[in-house]
Amino acid sequence: MKYTSQSVALPYFIAAIGLFVGQIVFGLAMGLQYVVGDFLFPEIPFNVARMVHTNLLIVWLLFGFMGAAYYLIPEETETELYSPKLALLMFWIFLIAGAATILGYLFVDYNTLAEMTGNNILATMGREFLEQPLLTKIGIVIVALAFLFNISMTMLKGRKTVISIVMLLGLWGLAIFFLFSFYNPGNLVKDKFYWWWVVHLWVEGVWELIMAAMLAFVLIKVTGVDREVIEKWLYVIITLALVTGLIGTGHHYFWIGTPGYWQWWGSIFSALEPIPFFAMTVFAFNMVNRRRREHPNKAAVLWALGTGVMAFLGAGVWGFLHTLAPVNFYTHGSQITAAHGHMAFYGAYVLVVLTIISYAMPLLRGRAANSQRAQVVEMWSFWLMTISMVFITLFLTAAGILQVWLQRVSDTPMPFMQVQDQISLFYWMRLWAGVVFAVGLVTYVASFFVKGESKPLITP
């Protein structure tokens, strides 16, 4: 580490990995519930397992983003973090509040939880991905404001770079758009309209800025390519991401009661959304090919390259497959959507968080890179998780295509539950691919404990 205050990133990264493990445990439970309907019922019904699975995904990625910011902002600004104590305080508040919320989901009836936490004062619960109780949402805002204050004050007293500015812009956007989770209008069309201002404008808007900044930071460190070259690429990527992503929100407005022009705006700009992800892939490979140093952390380079490829496939290609209005008319809400969601989240955000952890964790532990043995194990985990995610996506895509045909296209459409029986084979295959993914995750965690001769600390 160049700055001692960067060490506050360590607990954020550890918490992120721990919550990631929890997310996959509940994902496997849901996969089994798809094919064995009464598994864990009534103790953990499917809707509760799904709520925990998706909430853990969001929270562990937020821990990863915050840890990344606490690590890279001091280096980019060339100054110590404004308040390491505030960062650690917010870590414990966020972790305890998150754990309490998950326990509430698991052990308290959701209606009772709503009554206990003030939902009758300001109704914000009950919407997908935003199921958190009012008190939890308020806690998230407090943690976010303290975090942004800490990062912003650090930047104000230090050097300003393109990477740090893009990172801060993305983080502020994340916090601002989350405020729409408090707006829950009685009109269902308005409710869905503004709900997407949190969900879509996070994952297809400001999160892409955070992702691009994190990837650019790691590539500068592991390749030695001139900062000016990487920053030019960063300008192009974030411009494309914002232009296509913001207006591309329209692909969620096709069928919810909004004006018909959204079918044109949404289709056109959503069709352009793969471009920034393709640019990110070209960017990553181009920087590695032009590298001026052989960094000892080969695993971090692999994660970085994987981020570009899998983000393009998941968010770009699989997003495009069903984003045009005439196609989406038949595919929306099917397993094709689930296929896109799984690979997009994994490729764009899971991998970029694991990239920064792979690069920073050895430095936080006093070495430039993990031992060769540890890196081999870590790279095995990359391939296990990535290949299994590809198969999860393919199986869900096949299930979705058959579902659309049997339920919505054929001359004699079948009822929903009968269709589910017809495609259950794909759910079994998805489950076994998920087991392999879990093995990959366990392998990843195990790589931190593999002994061997570590690379000596160099100036990163």
Side-chain angles (χ1 to χ4, degrees):
M1 295 182 297
K2 286 186 176 181
Y3 302 94
T4 56
S5 58
Q6 289 177 287
S7 61
V8 301
L10 184 59
Y12 282 87
F13 289 153
I14 293 173
I17 294 169
L19 294 171
F20 185 19
V21 172
Q23 182 214 344
I24 300 308
V25 168
F26 279 91
L28 289 175
M30 289 169 56
L32 194 52
Q33 286 176 333
Y34 257 87
V35 291
V36 183
D38 59 355
F39 177 68
L40 294 180
F41 185 84
E43 287 77 14
I44 305 179
F46 179 84
N47 65 303
V48 173
R50 184 180 186 277
M51 189 161 54
V52 174
H53 177 67
T54 55
N55 277 232
L56 282 174
L57 167 66
I58 294 167
V59 171
W60 89 255
L61 289 176
L62 291 179
F63 269 106
F65 292 163
M66 294 168 77
Y70 283 134
Y71 185 86
L72 72 85
I73 291 297
E75 279 205 29
E76 288 294 300
T77 58
E78 296 183 339
T79 185
E80 293 286 359
L81 188 65
Y82 179 76
S83 177
K85 291 182 179 179
L86 179 61
L88 289 173
L89 175 64
M90 289 303 108
F91 165 79
W92 287 110
I93 291 175
F94 193 23
L95 184 63
I96 292 170
T101 301
I102 297 300
L103 291 174
Y105 292 158
L106 292 172
F107 297 108
V108 181
D109 176 75
Y110 195 68
N111 288 329
T112 305
L113 185 64
E115 294 174 2
M116 292 169 54
T117 55
N119 198 61
N120 58 322
I121 300 172
L122 178 62
T124 68
M125 295 175 66
R127 291 176 294 171
E128 187 180 9
F129 302 121
L130 303 179
E131 300 95 344
Q132 305 85 24
L134 176 62
L135 294 178
T136 301
K137 287 189 174 78
I138 293 172
I140 291 172
V141 171
I142 293 171
V143 169
L145 288 175
F147 164 70
L148 289 168
F149 169 78
N150 211 351
I151 295 297
S152 300
M153 292 300 292
T154 305
M155 280 192 60
L156 286 174
K157 68 173 183 172
R159 179 183 69 158
K160 282 75 176 173
T161 67
V162 175
I163 289 175
S164 61
I165 292 171
V166 170
M167 184 77 173
L168 189 64
L169 180 62
L171 292 168
W172 270 104
L174 185 157
I176 290 169
F177 285 118
F178 181 73
L179 295 177
F180 285 96
S181 67
F182 290 91
Y183 181 53
N184 190 6
N187 182 288
L188 188 58
V189 176
K190 286 185 176 180
D191 174 33
K192 281 298 181 184
F193 189 92
Y194 290 106
W195 177 78
W196 285 113
W197 284 30
V198 182
V199 177
H200 174 93
L201 292 179
W202 265 20
V203 300
E204 297 180 60
V206 293
W207 280 27
E208 291 184 19
L209 274 62
I210 299 169
M211 170 195 177
M214 290 166 61
L215 189 60
F217 173 80
V218 172
L219 288 173
I220 285 178
K221 299 299 180 182
V222 299
T223 66
V225 173
D226 288 341
R227 176 178 291 271
E228 291 77 12
V229 175
I230 288 181
E231 287 179 345
K232 287 176 183 176
W233 274 94
L234 192 55
Y235 279 127
V236 173
I237 290 169
I238 65 168
T239 301
L240 290 170
L242 287 178
V243 171
T244 60
L246 293 178
I247 305 176
T249 311
H251 67 234
H252 299 295
Y253 296 161
F254 290 161
W255 323 116
I256 66 170
T258 53
Y261 57 75
W262 279 115
Q263 294 188 18
W264 286 98
W265 284 103
S267 295
I268 292 169
F269 281 88
S270 294
L272 299 174
E273 284 192 63
I275 296 175
F277 288 102
F278 179 72
M280 200 171 295
T281 304
V282 175
F283 160 63
F285 277 87
N286 193 22
M287 294 307 102
V288 171
N289 287 334
R290 296 172 61 175
R291 62 186 179 272
R292 295 200 278 179
R293 71 158 73 110
E294 288 293 334
H295 197 277
N297 195 336
K298 305 298 183 185
V301 176
L302 178 62
W303 289 109
L305 293 175
T307 299
V309 174
M310 295 299 290
F312 172 63
L313 290 175
V317 175
W318 256 262
F320 177 77
L321 287 178
H322 65 140
T323 198
L324 300 178
V327 177
N328 191 264
F329 179 78
Y330 296 99
T331 62
H332 71 281
S334 70
Q335 292 297 328
I336 294 174
T337 306
H340 161 59
H342 278 77
M343 186 179 275
F345 260 105
Y346 176 74
Y349 302 118
V350 171
L351 284 181
V352 80
V353 170
L354 296 181
T355 297
I356 190 74
I357 291 175
S358 179
Y359 170 75
M361 191 69 88
L363 294 164
L364 290 168
R365 299 166 75 186
R367 48 185 179 266
N370 290 327
S371 68
Q372 187 65 32
R373 287 178 58 197
Q375 289 194 57
V376 169
V377 174
E378 186 178 348
M379 288 188 278
W380 265 101
S381 74
F382 167 85
W383 289 112
L384 285 169
M385 286 193 283
T386 300
I387 292 173
S388 60
M389 182 54 69
V390 169
F391 277 100
I392 288 170
T393 303
L394 291 174
F395 294 148
L396 288 174
T397 302
I401 292 171
L402 185 57
Q403 177 187 11
V404 169
W405 174 258
L406 294 175
Q407 190 176 323
R408 301 175 179 178
V409 177
S410 72
D411 294 333
T412 55
M414 297 171 61
F416 174 81
M417 290 307 297
Q418 288 186 23
V419 173
Q420 295 302 299
D421 288 338
Q422 294 295 317
I423 61 179
S424 61
L425 174 62
F426 295 109
Y427 292 151
W428 276 109
M429 292 190 290
R430 186 265 305 266
L431 175 61
W432 286 111
V435 171
V436 177
F437 187 96
V439 171
L441 180 55
V442 171
T443 305
Y444 175 74
V445 174
S447 71
F448 290 102
F449 303 97
V450 174
K451 302 296 183 181
E453 184 179 352
S454 302
K455 299 295 182 180
L457 188 61
I458 60 172
T459 302

